[in-house]
Amino acid sequence: MLFGGRSKDDETVVAMLASAIRRDISFGVLPPDEKLKIEALRQSYGGSNHSMRETLRMLAAEGLVEATSQRGFRVMSATQEDLEDILLMRLQTEKLGLKRAMARGDVTWESRVVAMFHALGRAEAAVQTQPDDMTALEWDEACRAVSETLVSACGSRRLIQMAGKFYNQSRRFRLALLREGRIDFAARAQRMEKLQKAVLGRDEDTALILLEDDIRADLGARQKTA
């Protein structure tokens, strides 16, 4: 059976390729501005010419890859201007998503919030003890899960997708901070504890301030609050 012109097997292959390339962009294995040649990518990741081209189109739609004027592809740049633009969009989408989620979220949403913060705490303890690629990936996924869960009750599928898109674009900046040892995990733990408490207590003003602080810290940007 075909789905949008592609078979279910094709969809699975493209999803797997996208996951692997997305991870390597986030970890800097594929650095900013690097040209992405189909044949070289196939040798590294597998897949056919068609599936690899479809994968790159998908990643281009996510803002991780850019189509060039020569009809090729390259990894999206990661300049200071890029970082500031991603910071702007994360603040806009995630704060709006959390505000709406706090007004609409039920007990089931609260339970997911508690579970994701608990999982993040375990991942942060692990990555500090054993900071290898595997624990870094698990920590990165735990960070993403918290962000996704906080906005998940906002009642807007498009807002959730938009927040996820800009979050994914920010992951390589956060992982670079991890590699460089520039993450203050003690401060993060305190911030996460306060954020969880504010969200569950439906303290909107405090939660939005703490979320902005966290997003700024996530990207190595200056915090606005003391």
Side-chain angles (χ1 to χ4, degrees):
M1 183 179 294
L2 295 179
F3 296 82
R6 292 185 297 190
S7 71
K8 188 174 181 179
D9 287 344
D10 287 340
E11 295 278 350
T12 301
V13 170
V14 169
M16 291 176 63
L17 291 172
S19 178
I21 295 174
R22 191 183 294 116
R23 177 198 63 216
D24 285 350
I25 290 174
S26 296
F27 274 93
V29 176
L30 296 172
D33 300 311
E34 178 166 314
K35 291 183 179 179
L36 299 172
K37 298 181 179 179
I38 300 293
E39 185 56 34
L41 291 173
R42 284 186 59 208
Q43 292 178 11
S44 297
Y45 300 97
S48 64
N49 284 343
H50 174 72
S51 61
M52 186 57 70
R53 190 168 292 277
E54 288 295 303
T55 298
L56 294 177
R57 289 193 182 111
M58 175 188 292
L59 295 174
E62 295 178 9
L64 297 177
V65 165
E66 182 178 35
T68 68
S69 57
Q70 293 80 24
R71 300 181 66 183
F73 296 89
R74 68 180 179 91
V75 178
M76 189 65 76
S77 61
T79 64
Q80 181 64 29
E81 183 179 358
D82 292 319
L83 187 151
E84 291 173 357
D85 200 28
I86 292 168
L87 172 63
L88 170 66
M89 296 310 299
R90 278 197 61 186
L91 288 174
Q92 294 297 317
T93 56
E94 291 181 45
K95 289 176 71 176
L96 176 58
L98 178 58
K99 181 177 180 178
R100 289 174 58 92
M102 290 178 67
R104 292 165 171 77
D106 56 13
V107 173
T108 300
W109 174 69
E110 291 181 353
S111 297
R112 291 202 307 271
V113 168
V114 171
M116 291 303 101
F117 272 108
H118 178 69
L120 176 60
R122 292 175 65 88
E124 299 216 322
V127 80
Q128 291 177 77
T129 302
Q130 186 178 354
D132 56 25
D133 286 351
M134 181 59 69
T135 54
L137 180 60
E138 291 172 351
W139 172 72
D140 182 56
E141 284 295 326
C143 292
R144 182 199 58 76
V146 167
S147 176
E148 184 179 78
T149 302
L150 287 176
V151 303
S152 63
C154 71
S156 170
R157 175 172 55 86
R158 291 174 177 82
L159 179 55
I160 292 170
Q161 291 173 343
M162 190 65 69
K165 174 181 178 178
F166 292 113
Y167 187 90
N168 281 335
Q169 290 180 23
S170 77
R171 298 172 85 165
R172 54 183 168 170
F173 294 101
R174 181 177 59 261
L175 285 164
L177 293 179
L178 178 66
R179 289 195 302 272
E180 296 163 7
R182 294 170 54 201
I183 295 178
D184 186 340
F185 280 102
R188 270 182 62 84
Q190 292 180 6
R191 191 165 57 247
M192 292 297 98
E193 181 179 358
K194 291 177 181 178
L195 178 57
Q196 180 180 347
K197 181 178 179 181
V199 169
L200 297 178
R202 309 296 170 125
D203 183 349
E204 180 183 303
D205 290 342
T206 300
L208 294 180
I209 289 171
L210 289 167
L211 179 63
E212 175 161 350
D213 283 351
D214 189 59
I215 293 171
R216 289 181 176 278
D218 209 27
L219 296 179
R222 181 176 59 85
Q223 294 185 9
K224 285 191 172 181
T225 59

